[in-house]
Structure formats: C-alpha cells, structure tokens
C-alpha cells in the first residue's frame, strides 16, 4: 500500500531513498572513524576515550538511525492497520475515519521530526569546532581541562547542516501532505 497522495509518495521516495542513502554512505564516511582520530593532550588512550565519550554522548550515526526508525513507526502502524482491514488506497481519502487516522500518522511524524530536530540541536549544535575542551577532573589528573582535536570538523559541520535540512524538508512535506489531503476532502483538488 503506497501513500494516498502525490506528496506522500514523494516523501516516501525522499525519506526512504535519499535520506537513508545519505546517512548510510556519507554518514559512515564522515563519522565512521571519528573515535579513532579524536586525540587529546596528553595523547593517552584513557584520556582520549574519556573525552570522546564526553564530546559524543551518542554518536551522530546512531542518533540519526534511531530518528529514521522512530519517524517511520507512525506510517508503519497505519499501513499495518490498512493491511489488516484490507483498506484500498483509494478508500483512505474517501472514508473520514481512514483519512483521520492517516492524517494523525502524518501529524505524529511531524511531532517526532520536531523532537528529533530539537534533540539534535541539544546534542550536536550547528557547528563542530576543531578544538574540544574536555573536563578530565573525574580522572583525578593535575589539570582539569585538556584540549582535544576533533577530526574533519568542517566536513562534520556540513553534514550536520545537511541532516537539519533533511529534517526541515521532511516536516514541510508532511505539512504539505496534510494540506493536500484537506484540499482533496474539501473538493478543491480531484482525487487520483
């Protein structure tokens, strides 16, 4: 069962293909070796690991993979419901209860994307700096703050901005899909 609107079908293509490809291929290339090349002064394994865990409480690839999975859940529930009830694609926009449930799943996607956007800002910010100042006081060292070098910080900044952009595009597509469904239900657009 494919989405009942043109925008929904485009969203599936955009979300499913482009965003996952971007994350899977380029995300691994940019972030795949970050922990190995993260180095602090003094360059000791225990300090590097401690500071890297402070710098990245969750790796961006894991965060974005979780975001993709969680955002897919409302649509998956709707499609599971539609499959169990043998709902045809054309019925989704014709029956109010099906339309309402579908709109609710799209609205839930919007909410989840906005929450993920906010969490991404809290975790990663908008820019990756070349130097990270790490508090190593918990390791009982002489100096409480040490400098750490972040590898490929410029590439990571570009990738962060791209992931923010994907989230914004997804939210816009979801809002546009709700608008398209509303227009079809009100008779402003012909149903497919």
């Amino acid at each position: 069962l494919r989405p009942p609107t043109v925008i929904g079908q485009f969203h599936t293509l955009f979300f499913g293909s482009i965003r996952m490809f971007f994350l899977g291929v380029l995300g691994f290339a940019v972030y795949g070796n970050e922990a190995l090349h993260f180095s602090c002064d003094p360059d000791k394994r225990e300090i590097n690991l401690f500071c890297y865990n402070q710098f990245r409480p969750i790796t961006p690839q894991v965060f974005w993979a979780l975001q993709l999975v969680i955002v897919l859940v409302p649509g998956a529930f709707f499609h599971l419901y539609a499959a169990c009830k043998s709902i045809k694609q054309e019925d989704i926009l014709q029956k109010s209860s099906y339309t309402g449930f579908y709109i609710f799943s799209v609205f839930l996607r919007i909410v989840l994307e906005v929450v993920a956007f906010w969490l991404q800002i809290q975790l990663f910010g908008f820019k990756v700096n070349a130097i990270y100042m790490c508090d190593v006081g918990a390791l009982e060292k002489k100096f409480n703050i040490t400098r750490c070098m972040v590898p490929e910080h410029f590439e990571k900044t570009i990738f962060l901005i791209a992931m923010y952009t994907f989230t914004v595009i997804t939210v816009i597509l979801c809002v546009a899909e709700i608008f398209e469904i509303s227009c079809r239900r009100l008779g402003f657009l012909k149903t497919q």
Side-chain angles (χ1 to χ4, degrees):
L1 184 72
R2 59 190 173 114
T5 64
V6 173
I7 294 172
Q9 292 166 18
F10 180 75
H11 171 266
T12 301
L13 173 71
F14 176 80
F15 189 85
S17 304
I18 298 170
R19 196 172 179 183
M20 286 186 189
F21 174 80
F22 192 84
L23 177 59
V25 174
L26 294 177
F28 181 76
V30 173
Y31 287 97
N33 62 359
E34 184 179 52
L36 295 173
H37 295 107
F38 188 86
S39 63
C40 301
D41 183 31
D43 191 11
K44 293 184 179 174
R45 180 167 165 71
E46 71 173 8
I47 292 174
N48 289 345
L49 285 173
F50 180 83
C51 290
Y52 182 74
N53 287 334
Q54 193 178 105
F55 175 67
R56 291 272 188 238
I58 183 172
T59 61
Q61 305 104 298
V62 170
F63 175 83
W64 291 318
L66 285 171
Q67 176 185 0
L68 290 175
V69 169
I70 289 169
V71 170
L72 288 174
V73 167
F77 274 133
F78 176 80
H79 290 295
L80 182 63
Y81 170 78
C84 288
K85 295 280 190 179
S86 299
I87 300 170
K88 295 178 185 153
Q89 181 185 359
E90 55 272 4
D91 292 341
I92 295 171
L93 295 179
Q94 311 250 325
K95 287 192 164 185
S96 296
S97 60
Y98 299 158
T99 304
F101 189 28
Y102 185 76
I103 288 175
F104 177 74
S105 74
V106 174
F107 180 74
L108 198 53
R109 264 190 282 166
I110 293 169
V111 170
L112 293 170
E113 286 283 12
V114 169
V115 168
F117 190 86
W118 178 81
L119 280 172
Q120 184 178 340
I121 291 169
Q122 300 306 307
L123 290 168
F124 311 122
F126 288 98
K127 182 181 180 195
V128 179
N129 295 315
I131 304 292
Y132 175 72
M133 301 306 284
C134 177
D135 182 3
V136 290
L139 291 176
E140 300 178 24
K141 301 293 176 190
K142 288 188 252 179
F143 303 104
N144 285 342
I145 303 294
T146 188
R147 291 168 40 109
C148 301
M149 301 292 292
V150 179
E152 294 112 14
H153 65 282
F154 184 70
E155 291 174 9
K156 289 177 175 66
T157 299
I158 292 170
F159 200 85
L160 273 175
I161 292 167
M163 294 308 287
Y164 282 121
T165 304
F166 284 144
T167 301
V168 168
I169 289 170
T170 301
V171 169
I172 290 169
L173 288 172
C174 288
V175 169
E177 185 174 16
I178 290 173
F179 181 74
E180 181 183 352
I181 291 169
S182 301
C183 287
R184 287 190 189 286
R185 291 288 295 172
L186 296 171
F188 296 125
L189 294 171
K190 293 179 183 176
T191 40
Q192 298 167 320

